[in-house]
Amino acid sequence: MVDFIQNTLDGIALGSAYALLALGFTLIFGVMGRLNIAYGPCIMIGVFAGAGVYSDLTQSIVMIFVATLAGTILASAYVERVSFAAIRADAALASMVSTFAVWMQLEEIVAHLFPARTYAFKELGHLSLIEAGPFFLRQESLFMLLVTLAVLLGLALVLGRSHFGLELRALTDSRRAAIISGINVRRIIFLTFLLAAMIGGVAGFMIAMSDGQVTPKFGLWATMKGLVAMVIGGLASLRGAVLGGMLLGIIEAQAQWYFGASVREILVYAILFAALILLPRGILGGPHTVWRS
Amino acid sequence: MASGLRVSNLSLKYGGVSALCGLSMDLAPGEVIGLIGPNGSGKTSFLNLVTGFEFPTEGAIFFEGQELTGKSAQSIARKGIARTFQNLQVFSRLSVYENMRAGCHRCSKPSSSFWQFKAARNAEKERILSLLDCFSLADMALDTPEALTLVQLRQLDLARALASEPKLILLDEPAAGMTPYETDQLAKTLQDHVLNGRSAIIIEHKIDFIAALAKRTFVLSAGRAIADGPTDEVLCDKDVRRIYLGECG
């Protein structure tokens, strides 16, 4: 039982990063009704920008964070312009294929600019474990969890209190009603991409800091984890994204402990298949959900 | 005409099918026009063209001297043209109050200080509550539209359109699905709170409703204008009665 609880604690910390990735996917899916599979590669651009600053310019954690965020935002703005704004609203498949093309582009850019493939990223440092009875918690895990909670709180405030949040929720509810209300749909979509990029940048920064290194596989990894968490939790549900991320983290931690690393990934994708068959709209998606805050 | 709505030689074709053929119309500021015609005569297509949901094959649309042809629906909405749809368009997951706030978009201006922002928010709140009060929805401000009846939903749709303080409002069958009593109540509400000095085009199949609200009526049949004039005269017109009301002789 102690092992199970310990794994759950570790899983929640890991899952908090997954939750942020899923939130980014969900925000974009909510306003566009389309999938942006280049979301992970955009974050990859960000973490490589952070790694570049770390290796060539400065070790300042603030500057590395700013570079990670700026890289992710720039790459996301590029994706929004070429794969969404430039493609007709009723051509969802063209949009998705286009994001795949951009994904390949971004990976090639990283391969050219960072030929060594693996680069060091600023680490939090060797922090001591926090002990609570029979349980241990890594300080970086706690840091990850706290940052995720802060991002969630900030997102809740933006969506619930700001005019932009109202417009975003209105747009995800009914595009037609938003248009006749005079809401600037293109502006809201662009800003939503930037918001998703900021969340992804924070997630990428925390994950890269936790790993202490980045590789070009980060894009694929982030896309897969975010997508799986979104699908399990509930397609186009923000609460579902958080729940899906946490569940995915816990499942991975338990699977790794009881069955080993190789079985972990097999189990995760088996659960994804099961979720698609049994709960095609995810746990909190509901039968007709388009978007829920 | 430098103000009001001017539509000139407007045509809309879907492939080989003409939805509208060479339609022209002038609407003076403050004027209310009833737009009637059989199903499929092009009434809603006309509203779609004016509000930018569709683009004309030929012709031009001007509002207050500015050309609207080819402009996006949201930019037309921002110029002060609001509309409702026959199929209700409310934000189902926002509260009634938030629906109204989303509709206030055209009126919200950037604030230079926190106090200005606060004052603008308070003014917006007062305006919304006053509008909701006009439509007897003030008590339901915090409810989501799921809790509203069809009549209340139509009122919310209308109230939200008014929240943008439009200069011209286009209503597509606002009394659809209402009982005669509810229709009368709606006509009274429109008269008191919506059409007081505001230009409007009202599509409606209930002739008494049109007669009560519009001094001028425009009749469409198969995409063409077949009559335009004072409502009482148009409704007595033989062709109109034959084509629209199905009367023989």
Side-chain angles (χ1 to χ4, degrees):
Chain A
M1 194 60 186
V2 171
D3 289 344
F4 184 83
I5 295 172
Q6 180 64 56
N7 294 336
T8 303
L9 288 173
D10 293 342
I12 287 172
L14 180 65
S16 61
Y18 294 165
L20 292 184
L21 295 174
L23 271 176
F25 267 109
T26 303
L27 278 169
I28 296 168
F29 187 81
V31 290
M32 297 297 295
R34 307 183 202 176
L35 219 46
N36 171 20
I37 57 173
Y39 183 58
C42 289
I43 303 171
M44 173 195 69
I45 292 287
V47 293
F48 267 95
V53 166
Y54 177 58
S55 65
D56 296 340
L57 295 176
T58 173
Q59 297 211 341
S60 156
I61 197 164
V62 175
M63 293 311 292
I64 295 166
F65 175 68
V66 169
T68 305
L69 216 55
T72 311
I73 288 172
L74 278 176
S76 290
Y78 172 65
V79 171
E80 195 276 337
R81 290 289 100 184
V82 300
S83 299
F84 291 89
I87 291 177
R88 274 180 17 208
D90 58 351
L93 185 61
S95 238
M96 199 173 84
V97 173
S98 170
T99 59
F100 180 73
V102 171
W103 176 346
M104 295 299 116
Q105 262 187 338
L106 297 178
E107 278 204 354
E108 281 304 310
I109 289 169
V110 163
H112 277 88
L113 295 177
F114 297 89
R117 315 288 291 175
T118 303
Y119 284 79
F121 201 91
K122 173 88 175 171
E123 285 184 274
L124 266 180
H126 295 290
L127 303 169
S128 55
L129 291 169
I130 300 169
E131 200 174 335
F135 306 114
F136 295 94
L137 196 62
R138 290 163 66 203
Q139 285 196 37
E140 54 262 46
S141 298
L142 189 64
F143 168 73
M144 227 184 238
L145 193 60
L146 290 175
V147 170
T148 301
L149 289 175
V151 170
L152 291 177
L153 182 67
L155 184 64
L157 284 173
V158 167
L159 291 178
R161 296 292 179 92
S162 73
H163 206 81
F164 162 70
L166 178 73
E167 290 175 331
L168 194 156
R169 287 185 292 133
L171 177 58
T172 52
D173 198 322
S174 166
R175 192 183 178 93
R176 177 173 269 206
I179 290 170
I180 56 169
S181 301
I183 291 173
N184 190 335
V185 171
R186 279 178 175 254
R187 178 179 152 268
I188 297 301
I189 289 172
F190 187 69
L191 291 177
T192 305
F193 263 79
L194 298 192
L195 180 64
M198 280 194 257
I199 294 171
V202 171
F205 178 75
M206 291 196 307
I207 294 161
M209 240 181 17
S210 172
D211 289 350
Q213 61 175 26
V214 291
T215 75
K217 285 186 177 176
F218 189 94
L220 172 67
W221 179 87
T223 287
M224 293 313 296
K225 297 299 179 189
L227 267 180
V228 172
M230 178 175 84
V231 171
I232 291 176
L235 212 60
S237 157
L238 292 181
R239 290 192 193 105
V242 176
L243 177 68
M246 294 295 180
L247 274 178
L248 182 62
I250 293 167
I251 291 165
E252 280 193 2
Q254 300 289 1
Q256 170 127 1
W257 178 261
Y258 290 110
F259 306 112
S262 56
V263 177
R264 181 187 72 183
E265 295 299 308
I266 296 171
L267 189 73
V268 164
Y269 292 107
I271 288 170
L272 174 63
F273 276 121
L276 284 169
I277 293 165
L278 300 172
L279 289 164
R281 286 191 168 269
I283 298 168
L284 296 182
H288 304 295
T289 299
V290 178
W291 200 84
R292 282 180 197 279
S293 60
Chain B
M1 186 186 286
S3 56
L5 180 75
R6 184 160 65 84
V7 169
S8 156
N9 198 30
L10 211 57
S11 295
L12 176 66
K13 287 182 183 170
Y14 300 110
V17 180
S18 285
L20 284 173
C21 287
L23 192 74
S24 295
M25 176 197 279
D26 279 323
L27 178 74
E31 189 178 18
V32 178
I33 289 186
L35 181 59
I36 62 171
N39 286 331
S41 58
K43 304 184 296 294
T44 299
S45 295
F46 174 70
L47 292 201
N48 287 343
L49 292 180
V50 173
T51 49
F53 278 85
E54 289 183 275
F55 299 112
T57 322
E58 278 177 57
I61 305 162
F62 296 88
F63 181 63
E64 295 187 327
Q66 288 184 303
E67 182 156 11
L68 300 184
T69 328
K71 292 261 193 304
S72 70
Q74 66 217 26
S75 69
I76 291 173
R78 282 168 170 268
K79 288 188 188 303
I81 299 181
R83 76 172 286 186
T84 62
F85 285 82
Q86 191 180 343
N87 299 324
L88 286 163
Q89 296 292 332
V90 294
F91 299 112
S92 58
R93 274 181 267 282
L94 303 189
S95 69
V96 167
Y97 184 77
E98 286 178 325
N99 262 274
M100 295 294 289
R101 273 193 68 208
C104 284
H105 195 85
R106 199 174 78 84
C107 312
S108 52
K109 293 178 179 64
S111 309
S112 56
S113 69
F114 174 76
W115 300 112
Q116 209 178 2
F117 169 79
K118 199 82 180 157
R121 267 285 175 96
N122 286 340
E124 180 187 89
K125 187 177 178 182
E126 272 181 32
R127 200 157 55 82
I128 288 174
L129 291 177
S130 148
L131 265 174
L132 288 176
D133 204 33
C134 291
F135 289 91
S136 310
L137 291 171
D139 292 341
M140 314 192 83
L142 299 178
D143 292 331
T144 57
E146 284 169 358
L148 270 57
T149 64
L150 175 67
V151 173
Q152 288 170 327
L153 285 171
R154 286 214 174 276
Q155 286 172 330
L156 172 60
D157 202 16
L158 199 53
R160 199 196 55 217
L162 286 176
S164 66
E165 295 185 342
K167 298 169 195 164
L168 167 64
I169 188 161
L170 311 173
L171 307 176
D172 196 348
E173 299 199 32
M178 290 188 179
T179 63
Y181 173 75
E182 290 161 350
T183 304
D184 287 346
Q185 291 297 307
L186 178 66
K188 195 172 175 327
T189 308
L190 286 172
Q191 198 73 270
D192 294 345
H193 303 294
V194 182
L195 306 175
N196 38 3
R198 182 177 279 126
S199 309
I201 298 177
I202 305 170
I203 295 178
E204 187 52 67
H205 285 294
K206 294 172 180 171
I207 294 300
D208 291 344
F209 185 79
I210 290 287
L213 296 172
K215 286 188 176 140
R216 180 179 158 202
T217 293
F218 200 93
V219 189
L220 283 178
S221 176
R224 292 174 191 279
I226 60 163
D228 175 17
T231 300
D232 47 356
E233 287 177 25
V234 167
L235 294 179
C236 294
D237 184 277
K238 270 186 186 173
D239 284 340
V240 172
R241 299 193 76 82
R242 183 175 53 80
I243 292 171
Y244 183 47
L245 303 174
E247 290 184 1
C248 302

